[in-house]
Amino acid sequence: MTLFKVLAFSLVILLSYTLFANILPQVQSDPPPEEEPIAPEGMDVAGLVAWGETLFSGKGTCTLCHNDLGRAPDILALDLGTVFGERLADPRYTGKAKGLEGAEAVRAYVEESMVEPSAYVVAGFGKKGTGDKVSPMPAVNAAPILLSDTEMDALTAFLQSRAGVDVTVPLPVAAEEAIAEAEEEEEGPAETAQAALEKFACSACHDLEGSEAEVGPKLGGLGARIGRDGVREAILDPNATVAEGFEPDMMPGDLGAQMRVSELELIVDYLMALPASGAQE
Amino acid sequence: MIGRRHSVFWAFVLAVLVGLVPEFASAAEPEALLQPTRADYPAIAGVSSRTVVWGLAQMHLFLAAFVLAVPLFVLCIELAGVLTREARYDDMAHEFMKISMAAYSFTALAGGGLTIALFLFYPNLMDFMMRVFRGQTLIYAALFGLESICLYVYYYSWDALRYGDRKWFHMSIGVVLNMVGLGLLFIANAWTAFMMSPAGVDPSGAITGTVWEATRNPLWNPLNLHRFLANIAYGGAIVGAYAAYRFLSVRTAAERAHYDWMGYTSNIIAVCGFLPLPFAGYWLMAEIYSYSQQMGITAMGGVLAWLFIIQAVLIGTILLAANYYLWCGLGRTERGAHYAPYVKYIAVVLVGGFLVWVTPHSIILTPQEVQMLGGTTHKFLGPLGIMPAKNIAVNLMLVFTFLSFQMFYRSSRTPTVSWAKAGNAVIVALYIAGCLNIVAAGIYGYLTPTVYKVGASVPQVATTLSIIVFAAAIDGFMLRGARKTDVHWGRMSARSQYALFVLPVAFTWLMALMGYIRSSLRTHWHVYTVMKDASPEAYIPTIGEAGNTITLITLMFMALIVFIFWLSQLGATKQQAPVAGSAAGEAAP
């Protein structure tokens, strides 16, 4: 009888705990859904900003700490236009945005904060005992948050928009385009002058390698006329000297950024050796 | 011959340990972890893998906590017997061991079942864990063997090594037993803590560090301390239930007195383990926040926040039951009546503290409710829902629980020292100043950012511990040579014993709840930020679902404990020899 009473008593206690657990609000926390690939078509700046806002309170889990509870600066309540200026003016700030201004400064500051949160810690928000040298914030491109580069761009766009500056992050590109760009980037440097001319499509405008194109001036004897430095300048800064009878801005101005040094020198060598018209035959 | 056998055994243990040293010193080849996919989790006959592993792990933990804790306080009681030269201590210590012996094999069974289930249902996780901890698993197995040997030798040599120098030898075996037990606890904790705060691996899961680096991960020591204290409190609560049941079952006054004293001692053990437990909990939570603020917020401010309200209910129940038992104990002494009027004030503080602790901060509300409340939190009760208020509440509850114990202790002693009046005044001043400081530090907690709130509880904790230590020390000096009056062991109501049943039931449920919270902090990761849980059950279940599972596991454990108690009694039962002429095996009247 004693055993029965003791067991019944214990059972009542157990059931009361169980009942209490069942009358509380029931919330099941599911793992994050498999990521849907972002369709870049049609995503303009406004779309990117809106996506960034979603990430801010969603996958980025920023609002876990950046809220009004004092764990981290309440980004949504702050006047970011003013705050960014104050942060960059702080003598303790020596990060990547130092010396930049406007939208680019905000972009550099935000990007740095996301991947290197301890690069600069706002006073009072560092890990206890570190003198605001170490941030409690995790890098958002690492687990468990694991934002992609595009998602970080979207967050940066959202914060640039909140700060009232232009959105300067690149818009997401279509997957095929991105792959093509990546493949191009992976392509090795041209190893012959002909390959370099083909890679940068020189003969599409100039009469080279028998193309007979007339969009740009004929280049035969160019080296003898303007010398090696002149040839180099004509490629890197085509508007510096424009040949008579041709308009400026016809030739791409960013070839210097696209070319390897070795490719530039191959083309310069080729043009220096190119005989004047008539002699080429 | 025996010495030679021992030498061979120790040589074997040494060889195993030395052979495994390179395992600790060298890092494995770094190799990125292949994340598991849904197909890597075998579906076996529709069985819920997680529930099976959950049940077995929790059962193993309950039993292991019990069998590791009992030898710890048994050794202390044995030492008390030697120092006081009172045989009753030794008898009680022996009886505690007898209860835990049967639990030992069940612990091993549950551990074996858990291992099989883990390898069966989570092969990728176990493969990774084995690669991280390598030879340490063999050390664990070797320690388990050593623990068995020490336990059996310690228990069965009790009467053979009872007096004189032999007693010290026996206690030395107890020391080795406890050292090995703690080793087992710390190794198992390393594995658990590693899954929450991995170390010695890079973000890709490549093993870059040694076993030791993986072992001393950020949450290892906080978990060690928390579980060590919790085990003692839990072990005390379980043997207290045994004593209470025996108290209610036995017939003679002498037996009732024995089991009353045993229940009282068990309650003290449980309370002593329990009093510092919230502080160990603070440390663990502070380290969790420090390791990952996200993880900390998931626990305290996210989906798991409600569970801490249930935790408050459970701890409130435990404190109220433990105090109720102590108040009933005042009836055992003649001077108990002198302290009885103070009980109602202690009760007010405990109930008030309990109500503050269970007050939620923000709850899920309908739009109409938000309108009626005038916001998402209640105008007056809202501030009671955050940490500073709860810190005040729990610290005051602990201080007043100690006061209950102190009152009973003093109720059978009248100080005879000349400075007794001044001593009493100092103790009263200590309590008043301490309580004011706890409240003031709590109010300061309202004014500081959340990230410092946990840290703001440190002075409160220090105050609570200071009150306990200094009040005990002053009492110790003041009651030296005190005039003692009899404690009438056995003069307790049957109702008071039910408080001793509340403790193990609430403790068991609480331990399972905390296990669920700790495990859920990893969210959808097997090993946080390193190895994802891609199984179909990678979600955090609702509180109701978790509560039902916890109750089921607790019921199974209670059934097992009743069986273990029955076994320990069966071992002490002797059938009387049949009287000539009666049927064989029939007991004589």
Side-chain angles (χ1 to χ4, degrees), chain A residues 229-251:
Chain A
D229 288 344
V231 172
R232 199 179 282 121
E233 185 191 56
I235 297 171
L236 297 177
D237 188 6
N239 290 333
T241 310
V242 180
E244 199 177 327
F246 292 90
E247 295 295 319
D249 297 325
M250 294 292 286
M251 183 166 158

Side-chain angles (χ1 to χ4, degrees), chain B residues 353-397:
Chain B
F354 173 66
L355 291 175
V356 169
W357 206 353
V358 296
T359 305
H361 180 244
S362 50
I363 49 179
I364 298 170
L365 299 165
T366 62
Q368 289 81 6
E369 287 168 334
V370 173
Q371 201 173 5
M372 285 167 70
L373 268 178
T376 53
T377 56
H378 191 272
K379 195 169 153 189
F380 302 115
L381 298 180
L384 298 180
I386 59 174
M387 280 305 286
K390 296 184 191 304
N391 283 343
I392 295 174
V394 71
N395 278 285
L396 291 182
M397 287 171 87

Side-chain angles (χ1 to χ4, degrees), chain B residues 128-414:
Chain B
F128 179 59
M129 294 294 281
M130 288 296 119
R131 284 194 292 114
V132 171
F133 288 99
R134 312 190 276 283
Q136 196 183 69
T137 50
L138 294 178
I139 291 180
Y140 185 82
L143 284 178
F144 206 92
L146 193 57
E147 167 90 358
S148 309
I149 293 166
C150 291
L151 184 76
Y152 290 125
V153 171
Y154 183 63
Y155 177 69
Y156 287 108
S157 66
W158 199 283
D159 290 325
L161 304 172
R162 183 149 190 163
Y163 303 106
D165 290 344
R166 286 188 173 197
K167 189 64 181 170
W168 290 105
F169 181 57
H170 184 257
M171 286 168 57
S172 304
I173 300 170
V175 170
V176 175
L177 167 65
N178 281 306
M179 290 297 108
V180 174
L182 287 176
L184 283 168
L185 174 70
F186 294 159
I187 290 179
N189 287 350
W191 302 340
T192 309
F194 171 83
M195 290 170 72
M196 298 173 73
S197 58
V201 291
D202 74 9
S204 74
I207 299 162
T208 53
T210 61
V211 174
W212 175 238
E213 283 173 283
T215 300
R216 58 178 175 84
N217 60 75
L219 299 182
W220 184 44
N221 277 325
L223 197 64
N224 282 339
L225 180 67
H226 198 264
R227 282 190 166 174
F228 171 74
L229 292 170
N231 285 0
I232 291 175
Y234 188 58
I238 299 278
V239 292
Y242 170 81
Y245 177 69
R246 297 290 298 152
F247 178 91
L248 294 172
S249 309
V250 294
R251 299 276 173 241
T252 67
E255 284 178 314
R256 280 167 67 92
H258 172 71
Y259 286 112
D260 182 21
W261 181 61
M262 194 175 184
Y264 165 76
T265 311
S266 305
N267 188 44
I268 287 183
I269 293 166
V271 171
C272 283
F274 187 74
L275 283 179
L277 202 50
F279 311 137
Y282 283 142
W283 184 36
L284 176 60
M285 195 47 76
E287 290 299 320
I288 287 175
Y289 264 99
S290 175
Y291 171 71
S292 164
Q293 188 150 316
Q294 271 204 318
M295 193 184 262
I297 294 167
T298 302
M300 303 300 288
V303 68
L304 300 173
W306 269 106
L307 296 166
F308 286 91
I309 299 298
I310 305 184
Q311 184 209 30
V313 171
L314 289 157
I315 293 178
T317 314
I318 288 169
L319 284 176
L320 286 170
N323 276 278
Y324 175 74
Y325 180 79
L326 286 169
W327 300 335
C328 291
L330 290 172
R332 296 190 192 105
T333 59
E334 306 311 328
R335 288 190 74 240
H338 173 71
Y339 291 99
Y342 300 108
V343 164
K344 54 180 174 290
Y345 302 113
I346 299 177
V348 166
V349 172
L350 288 177
V351 173
F354 173 66
L355 291 175
V356 169
W357 206 353
V358 296
T359 305
H361 180 244
S362 50
I363 49 179
I364 298 170
L365 299 165
T366 62
Q368 289 81 6
E369 287 168 334
V370 173
Q371 201 173 5
M372 285 167 70
L373 268 178
T376 53
T377 56
H378 191 272
K379 195 169 153 189
F380 302 115
L381 298 180
L384 298 180
I386 59 174
M387 280 305 286
K390 296 184 191 304
N391 283 343
I392 295 174
V394 71
N395 278 285
L396 291 182
M397 287 171 87
L398 294 177
V399 166
F400 280 82
T401 298
F402 178 75
L403 180 62
S404 292
F405 167 72
Q406 199 181 14
M407 283 185 348
F408 173 74
Y409 184 74
R410 291 168 65 111
S411 70
S412 61
R413 293 165 174 84
T414 308

Side-chain angles (χ1 to χ4, degrees), chain B residues 404-434:
Chain B
S404 292
F405 167 72
Q406 199 181 14
M407 283 185 348
F408 173 74
Y409 184 74
R410 291 168 65 111
S411 70
S412 61
R413 293 165 174 84
T414 308
T416 53
V417 292
S418 57
W419 50 276
K421 211 167 183 176
N424 280 333
V426 170
I427 290 177
V428 171
L430 186 67
Y431 271 98
I432 292 173

